[in-house]
Structures are given as C-alpha cells and as structure tokens.
C-alpha cells in the first residue's frame, strides 16, 4: 500500500443529538480514550454512532465493513459519502477532502466519482428500469438519447436486458437490486459504496448476486466499500474486513487474520460459526525458518486453505515444507499446528 | 397531604375534582362569583379583538379589494365556461374522465349523476357552484402545495406550520367568513376565498406527509445520483409521494365544495347551496331535499373520481374516453338543434311535491307523537343536563317541584353508591359517579368555573402531564375572561350530549360490525355516504321531522359525528393481531370473552382516536347547526356574520376552537397513554 489510498478516513465521529459538534469538541478537550469521550457524550443524552473511525482503502481494494445492526456501519458509510454530515474527522477520496467540498462540488463528485447501492434498493417507483438506471446521467444533464445508449450495456451486464420498460413494482427482489447496481454504475464511478446490498434477498439469490458482483468487480476495478452483517459474505468477498462494534472499529484485517487471530471475544464470536479451514490459508500458520523439515513433501503451498492442506498431510507427524506459487520453499508447517489452528474456537 | 401524594394519579385527580366541586357548591351562598363569573370582571376582549382586526383589516382592505377584483376575472371565466358549454358536453367530459379513472362503474356514476342534476332543473345553479369550486381548488392546491413543500424544505418552521394547520382544522368554518366579509365585502368572491383558505390545509398536510414518508433510501439514492436539491424534489420526491398528494387533492376538493356550499348563507350567488337554504326557509322540504340530493350527487362524483387518483390502480383505455367525448360533441350539436335548454327541465318536481305532501300528511298524522318524543327527550334528558335537576324538575315538566331535600337525598344516594364502589376497590369509579351526580344536579351550563378548571386540568395532568394541564387552564381562562363563558358552556353541553350519544350508539354499532361482517356490509356504505355529504345537507332531513330547535341540531350533529366512532371501533376490534386471538382461543376463551378481555383492551387506543374524531366532527357541525336554532358559540358566530361583527365572530370562533383543541388534546393524551401502557 505504498501508493496513495483511494479513500482515507481519519478520526471520523458521527454524533447524533442537539449541538453535537460543540459537545464532541468539549468532550474531546477533556482528553482520555475514545471510550471516555463517548461515555461523556452518552451521559449528555447524545448518541455517538461512529466513534473515531480511522482506516485507508487502497485503489481497487474491496473493503468490507462488518458489524451487527446498530454497530454504526451504515452510519459510517453515510458519513464517508456525506449523506449525513460527520461531526468531526477527515474523509479524503482520491486525494480530495470530501468534507470540505461545497454543495456544488459534492453534487459533481457524486455524478462523476461515487456510486451507491442501498439495502432496500431505493428505486424510484415512478420510473422504468431504464429511467432509474439513467437517472444519474439525466440529472447530470445528458440528453435522453445519449444516456439511454450509455446505460444499455450496463443493463445488459446486470442481466436485465428486455426488462427496460418494466417498473420496479413488477420486478422480483433480486431483479430490483440488479437495477440498483446498474444505476450506481451509470455514472462511471471510481468509488463504489454498497450498503448491505444483498441482505434483503433470499439466500439462493444472494449467493448468485454475490458471484455476479465479483465478476462485475473484476471488470471494473473500482474501489469498493461494502457493508454487511453477514460474516460469510464478508469472508467470501473481502480483500480486507473492518469489524465494528458500538460505533468503534475493533479490528481491521484480511479474512484470514480475522478468522485466525480475532482480537477479542466479540470478533471471535463472529468467526465461531465459520468453517475456518475454508477461509484461513497455510501462509498464516507456517513458520518461515525452513530448517528442520521431515522427509515427506505433500506439496503444500502458502495460499492453500487449511482444510485442503490438512487433507494432504493427514497421516504425517513431521513438519513439512511450504512453497510459494513459483515452487520455491518459503517455510514449513507442522501438521499438528494446522489441526490446532482449526480448533481455536474451542479454547 | 403526604397521604394524598401516595394515591394513584387518577385517584388523586378525581378526589381533588370532587372536593373542588363540593367546595364551590358549599360556598355558593357567600361567594356567588365562585359559580358564576361576574360580568364586570370580564375584559372587553371581544371589542378589543374587533377593533384590532378592523384596524388591521382596514389597512389591507384596498389590497384585498383589488385582489378580489382580480379574482373576479377567473371566476367570470369559469362561470362562463361552465354555463355556456352545452350540457351534453359537460356530461360527456365527466363520463369520459370517469371511464379513464375507474372504468365502466365510474363512467356510469358520472353519467347517471350528472343526468340527475340536469333533469332536476338545478343545472344552472349547480354550474354556478362548480365555477366557484373550479377557481378555489386550483388556488388551494397551489397555496397548500407550496406550504407543504416549504415546510418540508425548512425543518425549522415545520412544527409551527403543523401547529397552524392543526388550529385551522379546529376553527369552525363560519368563523372565517366574518373577517373575509369585512375584507372583501359581500359577494361570491368571499365564498371563493373562504373555500380556498379552508381547502388549503388538507393539501398542505398531505403534501408534507407524503414528502416525509418517501423512503429515506429513495431520497438518498437521489442524492447519490448527483441530483441538485431541486432535481431531488421535483424528479424524485414529489413523484414518489404522488399517491399521498392525490389524497390531499381529494380532501381539498371535498373541503372546497363543502365550504362553497356553506358560504351560500352570505348569498350573492345564485348557487345550489342558496337554493337549499331558500327552500328550507320556505319550509318546502321536497325541493330542499331535491337540491340537497344534487349537492350529494356532486360530492359523491367528485369524491369517487378524485379518490381513484389516489389509488395505484391501472387506468382504462383512453380510446374509449375519446369515443365518449366524440359522442358528447355529437349530442351537443344535436341538442343545440332539437332540445330545449336545461333550465326548463324539472322531471323531479312531481317527486319533490309528492315528498312534500307525504311529509305534510305524515306530520299531521304522527306529528304529535314526534313532538312528544322530542319534548320528552328534552325534558327528561337534555334539560337536566343543561340547567341541572334543581332547575329542570318543575311541575310543568316532571309533575313535581325539585326541593332541597331531594337534592340532599340525591347526593346521599350517590355518596352511598360511591362509598360502596370505594369499599369494593374501585375508588376512581366511585368518585366519577359522584362527579356525574354533581353535574346532573347542577347542569353543565351552571357548572362552577373553578370546578371545570380543576376537572379538565386534572384530566390533562393524568393523560399527558403538567404541560397539558397548564395549557388547558390557560386556554379556559381566556374564554372566562373574554366573557364568552356562558355561550361556551352551552356549546359544551350540546356537543357533550351529542358526543355522548354518538359514543354509545356508534360504539355499539362498531361492536356489531366487528362481530358481524354482514352488518358491516350494510353499515359501511351508509358511513361512506355520511362522510361524503357536505355538512349543510344534514340539516334537511332533520328539519323535516323535528322543526327548528336544539333537538334537531342534536340529531344533525349526531348524524355527522357518529361515523368515526363506528369506523374506529370496528377497525380497532376487528384488527386485533391474529396471534393474540389465536392464543386466546387456544386458552379456551369464548368469543365474548375474547371480545371483552383481548380485543377491547387492545382496541382501546384506536377507539379513543375515534372518539377524538367524533368530538372534532361534533364541533365542526355545531356552527352549521346554529342555522337551525341552537344557543351558544355557534349562534354567536352566526350572529356575527349577520352583523359583520368581526370581534364577536373571531372571538366566538376562537373560543370554539379552544374547546375543540382542549378536547382533542385530552383524548389524544389518553389514547397515547393507553398505547404506551400496551407497549404499542
């Protein structure tokens, strides 16, 4: 992550209630940890929904924010996209200070750089699929013919070709969210916000849309902030995951780190139901000193899942070498450690 | 005192109320001002208000006159357009719109309805009325829509706007007329402006509600699509709220029609409302009923068609509508050649005459019985409530004279019963009984003012806390100080008995409809009908049988105000969540037990809201009912119109609004308290 991050969020606070800005400044002036500050605000009857959130998202990265309902994740994404005005902090998107942007500039940014997908779709009930998808171009001043030509490939990409003239009420839930996705992409956004896009859908449709979403992502290479309350979804999609509780980001890490090294019981509780073997990789448990390996070489690679690795060295008791993608030995792992890593939750 | 504090709030309130009442009665001989507020203690508020308003209105009068002159043009145009257009074309257009909005049934409604108007011989008058509506409704839509949008855009003024809209809804319609008369002079323009003012609030309210109810994600999607505020509002939010806004259009139309007809009392326009009034004054009930039916037909046609706008149903093939229009043009051309103009048609005069004759015969035959019924109700129920047993029981009415000893006995029995209730663990019920006994003995019109202050204040405290109690007392004192206490008490008495009757009868009908879907199938269209009819028309059938007087006014109020009680009671009882009922059935409860122990408590907040609506409806009708002889504030408002006395008109109107507002807040407070208790 040496290049400039696509999104940089620093010390973001979102406090609800009367005179929140002044109250937050006063509470901060008294010092102490973010927990102390939040406590003071709560005592005044204010609600600190997001508490001092800080993170970077690299260009092209798929960053998932996960937490239970009420953990502040939806508020956080609304603060970044400035659907609500953050109480304090900084948000840079592609080098531009978003919170300092004028109303006019903000409108422009939304037309050209940002796209957003909503949990309950947020489709305009009085417009057809075509008009819904083309709406960002319409408000941007593009002519009717031009915008319709521009959005047709997008509608085709999300698999809604032939339904352009339908109204949202005539579509199924999965189809509606396809419209929502298409609309958010109409403006050629480089930063894509998705607020629990698949939570309102049936499990089968959800999985199907997740797969299609990954395909679309491959093609577009946008920076993505994705909100979900579903750990399986987070692990399946994410490059990195931020876990939120009570407005605080408690851990940021790759899916493997989250599963294998939860920072506290809250995060562990999340990953409890996850089949760890399927999400953690050999690289996360291997030792890098490839010294004392045994005679057997079952051909482990560092990006293998634990499950697959364990299956191939089930009958072995000695440490085995681990190779990278090029076949070079990068470390070793003891089969016992593999088994142990899978049982972290039992302790 | 500390013992008093330990009692439950309801019991404490009731106890204080009883003590205040007893104290007032006991002190009456030494301090009569405790019961009856002395006239020279009142402030000449009415005159002040009058003088201030006349000064203020005088200032803007030139502007108003200019505006009224300006409005004269669109009015003349609308009138010319409606009266000069050949009648087949108007019927055809209505039928075509009906088809487009609601298919065959709606087209038939439009066709049959307007044909009835045509053949009744009131075409000209109806078109005069419609031309007023045609100008006032667009005016109201624009004003109301603008207010709604403005309130939505500026959250800071929203509560204020909502408060004003609330108050405007409780100020009786007639009260608008006096200042308007002063501003604009007599003439149809006043009716037009009054109707626009009256019809704008429902539009504003619905626009605001609709905009508020647009899903937040839809609003956010508009923001994230990069729409400017204006684009968000006009491209997304207003279209998304269109159904709710159409509800506003529907209510706006109905309010405008209702007000235009009421405004006929100031005359100056040969319209259908005036016709009804004229015929009623001549005691020609047949023609009055016929003209009233024309109004009802208009109300129904306008209501159903604009109501169809507010549903998401599909629209019907416009080609058929064009076909109907073409036919209408053809018919218009033919009619211009062969048929006489509409005014000479009066197919139903015979029927009207027949109704008149029949009514005359009925009244000569049964009139005595009706009069007996009326008098008995008056003597044995209304009068004691109004002036108290001690004044109402006379040899002439009851056959004996009420004595002080009887009062003592009466209170003694009530006290004993209250004691029994207290002893069996229902102290609040016992105290309520005592209060009721006191009210019957004294009469509502003669209640000591401190008693009413304390009773209503305590009720406010119990239902919604200290703020409401303070508000109630402050508002009541303005009435007391302005010298309108006496008419206010008379209004309170008349609306009180009407609401009481509505609550009992409407509640029972609601229960019946909740139990028996069959009954609801018959009662529902009647309810729909009663809610569509402009207030004015209720007076006709009542007058036909009971002549002018308080009893007729009572009946007219009840007819109108009973509907919400029936609807809400049924709705509350019938819509208890299925799992609650299933749980009760599974526990082995009989249907009656379910009704009493599960449905009724669950429905209580809804039923209270129905009662609230009934009270507001009763106050709205009270002024109209003053046309057929009631005393009280309604009469004052009505007198003020005749004398163009702005001070009296506004003060009496305000006093009425205050009473309605107090009743509204008290009942809503109770409903809210119940809902909280149920965790809803």
């Amino acid at each position: 992550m040496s290049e400039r991050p696509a999104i940089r969020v620093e010390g973001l606070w979102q406090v609800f209630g009367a005179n929140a800005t002044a109250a937050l400044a006063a509470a901060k002036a008294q010092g102490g940890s973010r927990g102390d500050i939040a406590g003071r605000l709560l005592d005044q009857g204010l609600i600190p929904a997001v508490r001092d959130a800080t993170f970077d998202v690299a260009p092209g990265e798929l960053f998932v924010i996960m937490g239970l309902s009420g953990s502040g994740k939806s508020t956080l994404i609304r603060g970044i996209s400035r659907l609500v005005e953050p109480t304090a902090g900084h948000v840079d998107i592609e080098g531009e200070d978003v919170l300092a942007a004028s109303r006019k500039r903000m409108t422009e940014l939304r037309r050209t750089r940002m796209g957003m997908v909503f949990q309950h779709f947020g489709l305009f009930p009085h417009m057809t699929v075509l008009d819904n998808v083309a709406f960002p171009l319409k408000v941007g001043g593009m002519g009717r013919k031009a915008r319709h030509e521009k959005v047709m490939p997008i509608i085709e990409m999300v698999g809604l070709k032939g339904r352009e003239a339908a109204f949202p009420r005539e579509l199924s839930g999965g189809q509606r969210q396809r419209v929502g996705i298409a609309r958010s992409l109409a403006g050629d956004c480089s930063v894509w916000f998705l607020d629990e896009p698949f939570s309102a859908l049936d499990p089968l449709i959800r999985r199907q849309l997740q797969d299609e979403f990954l395909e679309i992502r491959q093609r577009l290479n946008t920076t993505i902030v994705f909100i979900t309350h579903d750990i399986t979804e987070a692990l399946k999609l994410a490059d990195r995951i931020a876990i939120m509780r009570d407005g605080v980001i408690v851990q940021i890490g790759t899916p493997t780190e989250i599963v294998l090294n939860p920072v506290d019981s809250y995060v562990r509780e999340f990953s409890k139901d996850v089949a760890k073997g399927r999400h953690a990789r050999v690289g996360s448990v291997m030792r890098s000193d490839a010294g004392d390996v045994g005679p057997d070489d079952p051909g482990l690679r560092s990006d293998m899942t634990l499950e697959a690795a364990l299956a191939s060295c089930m009958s072995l008791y000695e440490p085995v070498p681990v190779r990278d993608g090029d076949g070079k030995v990068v470390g070793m792992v003891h089969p016992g450690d593999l088994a142990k890593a899978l049982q972290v939750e039992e302790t | 005192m500390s013992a008093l504090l330990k009692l439950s709030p309801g019991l404490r309130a009731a106890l204080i109320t009883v003590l205040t009442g007893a104290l007032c009665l006991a002190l009456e001989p030494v301090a009569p001002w405790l019961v009856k507020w002395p006239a020279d203690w009142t402030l000449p508020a009415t005159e002040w208000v009058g003088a201030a308003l006349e000064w203020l209105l005088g200032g803007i009068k030139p502007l108003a006159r200019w505006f009224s002159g300006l409005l004269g043009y669109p009015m003349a145009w609308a009138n010319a357009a409606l009266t000069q257009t050949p009648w087949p074309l108007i019927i055809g257009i209505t039928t075509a719109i009906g088809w487009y909005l609601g298919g065959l049934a709606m087209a038939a409604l439009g066709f049959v309805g307007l044909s009835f108007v045509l053949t009744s011989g009131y075409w000209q008058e109806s078109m005069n009325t419609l031309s007023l509506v045609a100008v006032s409704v667009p005016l109201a839509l624009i004003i109301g829509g603008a207010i709604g949008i403005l309130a939505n855009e500026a959250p800071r003024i929203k509560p204020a706007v909502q408060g004003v809209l609330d108050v405007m809804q409780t100020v009786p319609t007639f009260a608008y007329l006096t200042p308007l008369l002063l501003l604009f002079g007599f003439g149809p323009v006043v009716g037009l402006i009054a109707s626009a003012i009256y019809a704008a609030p429902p539009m504003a309210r619905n626009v605001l509600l609709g905009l508020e109810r647009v899903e937040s994600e839809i609003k956010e999607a508009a923001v994230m699509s990069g729409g400017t505020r204006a684009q968000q509002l006009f491209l997304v939010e207003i279209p998304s709220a269109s159904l709710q806004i159409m509800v506003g259009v529907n209510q706006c139309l109905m309010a405008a029609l209702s007000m235009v007809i009421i405004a006929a009392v100031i005359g100056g326009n040969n319209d259908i409302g005036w016709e009804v009034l004229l015929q009623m004054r001549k005691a020609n009930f047949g023609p009055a009923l016929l003209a009233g039916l024309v109004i009802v037909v208009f109300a129904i046609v306008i209501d159903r068609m604009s109501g169809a706008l507010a549903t998401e149903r599909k629209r019907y093939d416009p080609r058929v509508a064009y076909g109907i229009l073409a036919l209408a043009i053809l018919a218009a051309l033919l009619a211009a050649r062969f048929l006489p103009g509409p005014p000479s048609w009066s197919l139903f005069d015979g029927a009207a005459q027949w109704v008149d004759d029949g009514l005359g015969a009925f009244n000569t035959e049964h009139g005595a019985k009706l009069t007996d019924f009326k008098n008995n109700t008056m003597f044995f129920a209304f009068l004691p409530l109004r002036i108290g047993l001690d004044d109402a029981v006379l040899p002439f009415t009851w056959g004996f004279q009420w004595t002080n000893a009887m009062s003592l006995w009466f209170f003694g029995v009530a006290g004993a019963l209250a004691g029994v209730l207290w002893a069996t663990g229902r102290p609040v019920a016992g105290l309520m009984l005592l209060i009721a006994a006191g009210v019957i003995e004294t009469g509502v019109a003669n209640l000591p003012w401190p008693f009413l202050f304390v009773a209503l204040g305590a009720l406010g405290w119990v239902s919604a806390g200290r703020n409401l109690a303070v508000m109630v007392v402050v508002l009541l004192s303005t009435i007391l100080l302005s010298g309108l206490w006496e008419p206010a008490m008379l209004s309170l008495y008349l609306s009180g008995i009407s609401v009481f009757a509505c609550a009992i009868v409407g509640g029972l009908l609601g229960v019946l409809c909740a139990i028996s879907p069959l009954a609801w199938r018959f009662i529902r269209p009647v309810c729909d009908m009663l809610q569509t009819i402009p207030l004015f028309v209720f007076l006709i059938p009542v007058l036909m049988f009971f002549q002018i007087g308080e009893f007729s006014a009572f009946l007219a109020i009840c007819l109108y105000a009973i509907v919400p009680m029936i609807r809400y009671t049924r709705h509350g009882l019938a819509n208890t969540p299925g799992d609650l009922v299933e749980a009760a059935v599974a526990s082995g409860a009989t249907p009656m037990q379910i009704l009493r122990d599960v449905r009724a408590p669950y429905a209580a907040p809804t039923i209270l809201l129905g009662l609230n609506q009934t009270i507001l409806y009763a106050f709205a009708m009270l002024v109209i009912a003053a046309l057929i002889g009631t005393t009280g504030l309604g009469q004052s408002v009505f007198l003020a119109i005749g004398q163009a006395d702005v001070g009296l008109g506004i003060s009496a109107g305000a006093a009425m609004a205050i009473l309605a507002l107090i009743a509204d807040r008290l009942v809503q407070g109770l409903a809210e308290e119940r809902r909280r208790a149920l965790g809803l």
Side-chain angles (χ1 to χ4, degrees):
Chain A
M1 278 209 274
S2 54
E3 50 189 326
R4 186 188 69 188
I7 302 174
R8 154 167 279 169
V9 176
E10 238 179 75
L12 193 79
W13 281 83
Q14 186 71 55
V15 183
F16 294 114
N19 298 322
T21 314
L24 177 63
K28 271 182 169 173
Q30 289 182 47
S33 68
R34 66 165 77 104
D36 298 334
I37 298 171
R40 277 178 217 130
L41 293 170
L42 281 169
D43 288 342
Q44 295 174 51
L46 299 170
I47 301 158
V50 174
R51 307 174 185 179
D52 196 12
T54 299
F55 59 88
D56 287 347
V57 183
E61 187 181 25
L62 203 174
F63 188 77
V64 172
I65 301 174
M66 202 205 70
L68 299 179
S69 56
S71 61
K73 56 191 191 304
S74 279
T75 312
L76 177 57
I77 203 176
R78 278 168 175 69
I80 303 170
S81 58
R82 237 180 123 186
L83 279 172
V84 295
E85 287 301 324
T87 319
H90 290 283
V91 177
D92 278 14
I93 292 184
E94 293 175 337
E96 180 160 354
D97 183 354
V98 176
L99 300 190
S102 69
R103 252 175 104 104
K104 196 159 162 251
R105 174 70 188 145
M106 208 55 224
T107 302
E108 209 175 296
L109 280 178
R110 286 175 177 138
R111 283 179 188 169
T112 53
R113 290 212 201 149
M114 301 181 184
M116 186 153 174
V117 181
F118 297 90
Q119 181 177 4
H120 300 289
F121 324 132
L123 300 186
F124 309 131
H126 56 288
M127 293 184 197
T128 61
V129 167
L130 187 61
D131 287 333
N132 259 292
V133 177
F135 185 77
L137 303 177
K138 179 180 179 178
V139 295
M142 193 184 277
R144 190 181 170 78
K145 198 153 171 266
R147 64 177 188 256
H148 283 183
E149 268 169 22
K150 173 150 191 229
V151 297
M152 275 318 290
I154 304 176
I155 290 179
E156 209 175 324
M157 179 171 78
V158 297
L160 281 176
K161 197 168 184 221
R163 305 297 323 254
E164 299 90 353
F167 282 93
R169 61 173 176 276
E170 298 162 349
L171 302 177
S172 69
Q175 286 174 322
R176 286 182 202 184
Q177 195 56 299
R178 287 163 197 266
V179 178
I181 289 174
R183 182 177 61 191
S184 69
L185 294 176
D188 292 326
C189 60
S190 52
V191 177
W192 200 12
F193 300 109
L194 297 102
D195 180 19
E196 301 214 32
F198 308 136
S199 299
L201 304 175
D202 293 339
L204 271 180
I205 307 287
R206 189 184 312 163
R207 195 182 313 158
Q208 196 184 338
L209 275 176
Q210 283 165 354
D211 293 336
E212 287 176 30
F213 164 74
L214 285 176
E215 264 172 50
I216 292 174
R217 188 216 162 182
Q218 289 298 324
R219 274 197 249 174
L220 296 180
N221 201 32
T222 52
T223 307
I224 301 174
V225 179
F226 189 109
I227 305 277
T228 181
H229 63 251
D230 177 359
I231 181 79
T232 335
E233 185 168 81
L235 294 171
K236 173 172 175 180
L237 304 178
D239 291 331
R240 279 191 309 148
I241 300 174
I243 295 196
M244 282 189 84
R245 178 185 55 190
D246 296 339
V248 179
I249 296 181
V250 290
Q251 185 173 7
I252 299 180
T254 62
T256 310
E257 283 164 7
I258 297 285
V259 171
L260 289 184
N261 302 310
V263 290
D264 62 9
S265 56
Y266 177 79
V267 180
R268 190 173 308 129
E269 203 58 35
F270 266 123
S271 47
K272 201 161 184 174
D273 296 330
V274 175
K276 290 191 170 161
R278 253 182 251 158
H279 293 285
R281 317 257 160 206
V282 171
S284 61
V285 289
M286 75 180 185
R287 280 175 246 165
S288 49
D289 52 329
D292 200 14
V293 293
D296 296 299
D297 183 0
L300 295 192
R301 285 189 323 276
S302 60
D303 61 348
M304 265 179 142
T305 62
L306 292 187
E307 208 173 57
L310 197 60
S312 55
C313 54
M314 196 68 113
S315 52
L316 304 176
Y317 299 93
E318 297 292 314
V320 294
V322 178
R323 295 169 203 278
D324 64 6
D326 303 327
K328 200 178 127 218
V329 175
V330 288
M332 63 149 189
V333 68
H334 196 285
D337 290 346
L338 285 177
K340 227 191 278 169
L342 284 179
Q343 282 159 11
V344 173
E345 70 241 52
E346 254 78 45
T347 56
Chain B
M1 199 60 209
S2 60
L4 196 60
L5 284 175
K6 263 183 233 149
L7 302 171
S8 77
L11 183 54
R12 208 187 317 155
L15 203 59
I16 294 174
T17 308
V18 169
L19 289 178
T20 314
L23 208 64
C24 286
L25 285 184
L27 290 179
E28 191 183 355
V30 286
W33 55 267
L34 262 182
V35 175
K36 197 168 163 7
W37 186 257
D40 42 333
W41 289 13
T42 58
L43 305 169
T46 310
E47 281 90 64
W48 291 351
V49 169
L53 273 177
E54 274 181 42
W55 176 80
L56 187 75
L57 297 181
I60 50 173
K61 200 160 161 182
L63 191 71
R65 292 288 158 111
W66 173 78
F67 185 62
S68 129
L70 206 64
L71 272 182
Y73 291 107
M75 225 175 80
W77 297 333
N79 195 278
L82 281 168
T83 51
Q84 301 300 314
T85 309
W87 55 264
L89 204 54
I90 291 183
I91 297 183
I93 291 171
T94 315
T95 314
I97 295 175
W99 165 267
Y100 179 63
L101 292 176
L104 199 55
M106 201 71 85
L109 175 73
F111 183 75
V112 173
L114 286 202
S115 301
F116 168 75
V117 174
L118 179 72
T119 49
S120 72
Y122 288 121
W123 185 262
Q124 196 66 40
E125 290 82 352
S126 307
M127 289 306 125
N128 286 342
T129 299
L130 272 195
S131 63
L132 279 185
V133 174
V135 180
S136 81
V137 164
L139 210 59
L141 289 180
I142 293 171
I143 297 172
I147 293 175
I149 291 174
L150 208 67
N152 183 61
E153 291 307 295
R156 220 173 304 157
I157 64 164
K158 201 194 280 182
V161 170
Q162 260 164 344
V164 171
L165 292 179
D166 272 353
V167 170
M168 282 182 83
Q169 214 179 20
T170 49
V171 173
T173 40
F174 270 129
Y176 291 139
L177 286 179
T178 36
L180 290 180
L181 279 177
L182 198 79
L183 269 181
F184 300 102
F186 280 83
V189 174
V190 174
L192 185 138
I193 292 173
S195 113
I197 293 179
Y198 183 60
M203 181 65 187
R205 200 182 274 280
N206 279 291
V207 168
L208 186 54
L209 185 71
L211 289 178
E212 275 175 354
R213 281 202 187 158
V214 174
E215 279 175 48
S216 61
E217 287 197 347
I218 288 181
K219 293 182 190 169
E220 287 179 344
V223 177
M224 288 308 291
S225 298
T228 60
R229 184 59 202 139
Q231 285 173 328
Q232 292 164 27
L233 186 66
F234 290 103
L235 294 181
V236 172
E237 294 180 18
I238 290 179
S240 296
S242 64
L243 286 187
Q244 191 68 44
I245 292 175
M246 283 304 155
V247 172
V249 172
N250 171 271
Q251 290 178 3
C252 180
L253 274 164
M254 298 310 286
L257 179 67
S258 184
M259 190 66 193
V260 160
I261 286 164
I262 289 168
V265 296
I266 55 173
N269 197 23
N270 177 29
D271 59 21
I272 192 78
W274 179 247
E275 187 66 25
V276 173
L277 204 67
L278 207 65
Q279 300 291 2
M280 271 201 306
R281 285 192 184 148
K282 291 195 233 161
N284 290 338
F285 292 117
L289 200 64
L290 186 58
L293 274 180
V294 169
I295 296 177
V296 171
V297 163
F298 269 115
I300 291 179
V301 169
I302 292 177
D303 179 54
R304 298 301 181 261
M305 284 193 183
S306 60
L309 285 175
T311 56
E312 215 166 346
R313 250 188 323 214
K314 65 174 176 95
R315 302 287 173 241
Y316 290 77
D317 194 343
R319 280 172 301 180
V320 178
Y322 292 135
I324 296 173
L325 276 184
L327 272 181
I329 292 171
L330 195 65
L333 291 174
L334 287 176
R337 246 188 100 81
F338 299 111
L339 286 174
S344 57
W345 287 22
S346 44
L347 294 189
F348 298 97
D349 276 6
Q353 193 56 43
W354 178 79
V355 167
D356 240 9
D357 293 345
L359 184 72
F362 179 85
N363 276 348
T364 33
E365 198 175 326
H366 303 282
K369 277 184 228 161
L370 286 178
T371 311
D372 274 354
F373 172 62
K374 181 169 88 175
N375 286 345
N376 284 336
T377 324
M378 289 298 294
F379 289 154
F380 295 107
F382 286 18
L383 266 184
L385 267 171
R386 176 170 168 178
I387 52 177
L389 280 173
D390 51 354
D391 288 336
V393 179
L394 298 168
F396 163 65
T397 54
W398 290 53
F400 59 91
Q401 177 71 43
W402 191 261
T403 59
N404 282 341
M406 288 181 189
S407 290
L408 283 182
W409 269 105
F410 183 70
F411 275 125
V413 172
L417 279 176
V420 170
L421 280 173
W422 190 309
T424 51
R426 278 167 293 177
V428 178
L431 291 174
M432 287 299 181
L433 186 77
L434 263 187
I435 293 173
V439 170
I440 293 172
E441 163 75 23
T442 335
V444 174
N446 296 337
L447 281 180
W449 59 267
F451 171 77
L452 219 65
F453 272 53
V454 170
L456 294 182
L459 199 58
W461 196 304
V462 171
S463 59
R466 210 176 58 125
N467 286 347
L468 184 58
V470 172
M471 186 186 113
V472 166
V473 170
V474 168
L475 286 178
L476 280 178
S477 25
T478 58
I479 298 181
L480 189 69
L481 285 175
S482 65
L484 287 168
W485 187 256
E486 222 161 309
M489 285 304 103
L490 288 173
S491 291
L492 188 66
Y493 139 78
L494 187 58
S495 51
I497 46 172
S498 312
V499 168
F500 184 73
C502 285
I504 303 283
V505 179
L508 286 177
L509 283 176
V511 172
L512 177 70
C513 291
I515 297 172
S516 147
L518 187 69
W520 181 229
R521 261 183 58 197
F522 285 100
I523 291 180
R524 184 179 179 175
V526 177
C527 284
D528 285 347
M529 183 82 157
L530 288 177
Q531 275 194 318
T532 318
I533 299 176
L535 305 184
F536 202 39
V537 181
F538 283 90
L539 305 181
I540 306 169
V542 182
L543 273 187
M544 285 165 67
F545 294 103
F546 294 103
Q547 290 81 41
I548 280 180
E550 208 167 78
F551 189 70
S552 297
F554 163 78
L555 284 183
I557 296 173
C558 285
L559 267 182
Y560 178 60
I562 198 171
V563 177
M565 195 65 206
I566 301 175
R567 277 190 192 281
Y568 281 74
T569 307
R570 189 206 77 90
H571 182 84
L573 291 175
N575 290 359
T576 318
D579 47 348
L580 281 188
V581 176
E582 281 174 5
V585 171
S587 312
T590 64
M592 276 323 282
Q593 285 172 327
I594 294 177
L595 187 69
R596 196 189 62 211
D597 296 331
V598 180
R599 288 184 191 269
Y602 191 86
T606 313
I607 296 175
L608 277 175
L609 281 186
L611 184 67
N612 186 40
Q613 289 289 310
T614 291
I615 292 173
L616 290 181
Y617 275 43
F619 273 104
M621 192 67 185
L622 203 55
V623 193
I624 315 286
L627 274 175
I628 55 170
T630 60
T631 44
L633 292 173
Q635 193 192 30
S636 309
V637 172
F638 196 51
L639 275 179
I641 295 179
Q643 304 163 351
D645 180 347
V646 190
L648 182 62
I650 288 290
S651 310
M656 209 151 200
I658 285 176
L659 287 184
L661 208 66
I662 291 176
D664 175 68
R665 290 296 132 89
L666 285 180
V667 178
Q668 284 213 5
L670 284 177
E672 187 54 38
E673 191 260 341
R674 281 318 306 158
R675 216 174 303 142
R676 235 178 298 127
L678 289 173
L680 293 179

